[in-house]
Amino acid sequence: MAKIIAVTGATGGQGGSVARILLQRGEWKVRAITRNVESRGAKALAAQGAEVVAADLDDEASLVKAFEGAHAIFGVTNFWEQLGKLDADAAALHEQDQAITLAKAAAKTKTLEHYIWSTLPSTKTVSGGKHFVPHMEPKSQVDQYIRDKLPELAEKTTFLWVAWYAANMAKMILIKPMQVFQTGKYIWAQPSKSSALLPSSGDIGVNIGVFVAAILARPDVSLPGKYAWVQTEKKTFAQILAAWAAVTGHDAVYVDLPAADYVTLWGPYGLEMSKQYAFGGDHGDWDDFKPDLLGAKQLGIGEGELVGLEPFLESIKATLL
């Protein structure tokens, strides 16, 4: 009988990728955890064969119940869901509380063999205190909480970093290139030098699920307490824009917009992204953060299993303009 993986955020970007890929491969029974079992996304997963269960990241008891009998858990939280309702610091604290609640519930799951926690690097540690990015830092603090307060869970945990979402160029208005109507050309105005690195995770709808499947298949490599890194390529902002231009067939110009102007235009979302880009400008290559990061090669992910930046942009071409 197939083992059970409980997937939180199953109707979202990361959890949805994990649920779909594992359902397609058929090696795990997927229990999709969502707040609303009647949503369109939840019904779609049920139609694909998932067991859909209601739980809330703010309610530990609901998570404990949802995790009963699970052999693996994929845990993810969403800072961006709270930003706008709360300021960045409050959104970060709320996300951290949810992540700790998630970890506590996972630790209470007697059948658990593998916990995969979607986290991010500590911007404060990496930069020696120069940078603090609210949507990144609390996740890394939960890593330490797991190691310090839940050591048995830590032994069963793989920590998963996910690079920049290429889908942002279609879905986030502040990251989407904009047309100059007088010329028909496009500008990409971001608060970063064009030469700065922006590691990409390519198509997260495929790649995160592929990584999680590989992590589960290779516990001898991914445990105990190892870090894995969903990255398909490292490109500069200029190279990313060139890829966008090649796919869309439109000329584009990169504009290094001062952070203060970016914040004026885009408010709290602009402030959050400008902080991430400032950190990335100083520390663009995440491979330098940990010497033993697990990438596709170390996890045995085959060539052609991952979808990189340009083929992904090609697949969503209709939404890029």
Side-chain angles (χ1 to χ4, degrees):
M1 181 179 291
K3 291 183 177 182
I4 298 169
I5 180 169
V7 180
T8 63
T11 59
Q14 293 198 26
S17 176
V18 173
R20 286 190 302 273
I21 292 296
L22 293 181
L23 284 167
Q24 290 169 14
R25 297 191 176 190
E27 296 166 356
W28 286 79
K29 180 179 178 182
V30 175
R31 182 179 296 163
I33 311 298
T34 180
R35 284 170 300 188
N36 181 8
V37 298
E38 297 299 322
S39 71
R40 182 181 300 177
K43 289 180 177 179
L45 288 171
Q48 294 170 53
E51 175 192 9
V52 180
V53 174
D56 192 310
L57 297 185
D58 293 316
D59 182 351
E60 184 178 337
S62 75
L63 291 169
V64 170
K65 183 173 177 59
F67 293 162
E68 285 180 359
H71 303 91
I73 296 169
F74 176 75
V76 63
T77 52
N78 187 356
F79 168 89
W80 300 97
E81 185 179 57
Q82 299 301 322
L83 187 63
K85 302 174 189 176
L86 304 171
D87 65 31
D89 289 340
L93 288 173
H94 186 263
E95 182 186 24
Q96 188 176 60
D97 287 344
Q98 287 185 327
I100 289 173
T101 298
L102 189 55
K104 287 180 176 178
K108 292 177 181 178
T109 305
K110 295 179 181 179
T111 52
L112 185 67
E113 298 171 2
H114 207 145
Y115 182 53
I116 302 172
W117 159 233
S118 178
T119 184
L120 286 168
S122 170
T123 55
K124 186 176 179 181
T125 299
V126 170
S127 69
K130 179 180 177 180
H131 296 283
F132 183 95
V133 183
H135 77 272
M136 298 176 70
E137 195 64 33
K139 291 183 177 69
S140 69
Q141 292 176 7
V142 174
D143 299 2
Q144 194 61 47
Y145 177 90
I146 291 171
R147 287 190 288 266
D148 290 345
K149 303 296 185 182
L150 302 170
E152 291 185 10
L153 180 65
E155 290 291 305
K156 303 174 183 178
T157 298
T158 301
F159 301 92
L160 184 65
W161 291 349
V162 180
W164 179 78
Y165 293 8
N168 291 343
M169 297 190 85
K171 294 183 176 180
M172 289 185 74
I173 187 65
L174 69 165
I175 298 177
K176 191 170 184 173
M178 295 185 176
Q179 189 175 32
V180 178
F181 292 105
Q182 290 87 343
T183 65
K185 299 182 188 296
Y186 283 75
I187 61 169
W188 196 28
Q190 299 295 298
S192 174
K193 293 180 179 178
S194 63
S195 58
L197 280 177
L198 188 60
S200 170
S201 58
D203 183 357
I204 66 161
V206 173
N207 297 342
I208 295 176
V210 169
F211 261 82
V212 168
I215 287 167
L216 292 169
R218 296 291 307 276
D220 57 316
V221 174
S222 60
L223 292 175
K226 298 293 183 63
Y227 278 77
W229 171 212
V230 182
Q231 174 191 240
T232 54
E233 56 254 300
K234 288 179 279 194
K235 292 184 180 292
T236 65
F237 281 80
Q239 290 169 331
I240 290 170
L241 184 59
W244 179 95
V247 167
T248 62
H250 287 273
D251 291 336
V253 175
Y254 186 84
V255 177
D256 179 358
L257 192 66
D261 294 337
Y262 194 74
V263 174
T264 298
L265 283 171
W266 301 115
Y269 297 91
L271 178 60
E272 187 63 23
M273 290 309 302
S274 67
K275 288 181 177 181
Q276 177 184 329
Y277 290 160
F279 169 73
D282 289 341
H283 307 279
D285 191 346
W286 291 18
D287 289 329
D288 294 338
F289 299 172
K290 286 186 180 293
D292 55 351
L293 272 175
L294 301 175
K297 182 178 180 180
Q298 291 89 341
L299 289 167
I301 295 172
E303 194 170 331
E305 287 190 70
L306 301 175
V307 180
L309 174 71
E310 291 187 45
F312 174 61
L313 291 179
E314 187 67 46
S315 75
I316 62 167
K317 182 176 179 177
T319 67
L320 291 176
L321 300 176

